[in-house]
Amino acid sequence: MKDSLSSQDRHALIQWRLEKADNLMIVSRSLMDMEQYNSAMNRVYYAVFSAACALLLSHKIGPQTHNGVYQMLSLHFVREGKIDKVHLSHYSQILSARQKADYDDYVEYDQDTAELYYRYAQEIIEAFRNALL
């Protein structure tokens, strides 16, 4: 479906995904304020993921999986010097934290960790915005 999007529709979808990322960051902050750090980790990851999908779509790259998003970011943006590799490293850390928060038993993130990943996400999303076509 994404391959058949008109330029106008592609632009609208990119903007929608960026707005979704912004909204998910707001939700994450609210969850942190309620001391729901594991849930906040989930929302932080999906904010970054949504922004990553917007970036990839702006370059007409359409991965099918979460791992595919990571691989395409590495291949098309980090290796080409469009995005600093530290952002991809932080992306990986956020993904890992989200998976642990969602699936592992007895994992409870604290405020400091949630705040750190929230800051990472802000930086990553900004870097992705700057790399949009």
Side-chain angles (χ1 to χ4, degrees), residues 8-70:
Q8 184 177 12
D9 288 342
R10 183 181 314 279
H11 180 74
L13 182 54
I14 290 164
Q15 292 307 310
W16 183 83
R17 287 181 174 170
L18 291 172
E19 289 173 17
K20 182 178 180 180
D22 293 340
N23 289 334
L24 288 166
M25 291 297 286
I26 292 167
V27 170
S28 178
R29 172 54 60 199
S30 295
L31 288 165
M32 286 190 286
D33 291 344
M34 294 186 294
E35 299 181 5
Q36 298 298 309
Y37 303 118
N38 283 22
S39 294
M41 298 300 287
N42 176 286
R43 299 295 79 193
V44 162
Y45 168 73
Y46 280 104
V48 171
F49 179 77
S50 186
C53 289
L55 172 60
L56 293 172
L57 184 59
S58 80
H59 290 263
K60 299 182 180 179
I61 302 167
Q64 301 299 313
T65 65
H66 289 258
N67 285 336
V69 168
Y70 180 87

Side-chain angles (χ1 to χ4, degrees), residues 76-103:
H76 295 283
F77 297 94
V78 174
R79 287 186 185 167
E80 294 181 11
K82 296 175 183 174
I83 293 177
D84 192 306
K85 65 182 176 183
V86 73
H87 295 309
L88 194 63
S89 173
H90 290 165
Y91 182 103
S92 178
Q93 291 173 39
I94 291 169
L95 170 59
S96 177
R98 193 276 302 177
Q99 289 172 328
K100 288 176 185 175
D102 286 353
Y103 302 116

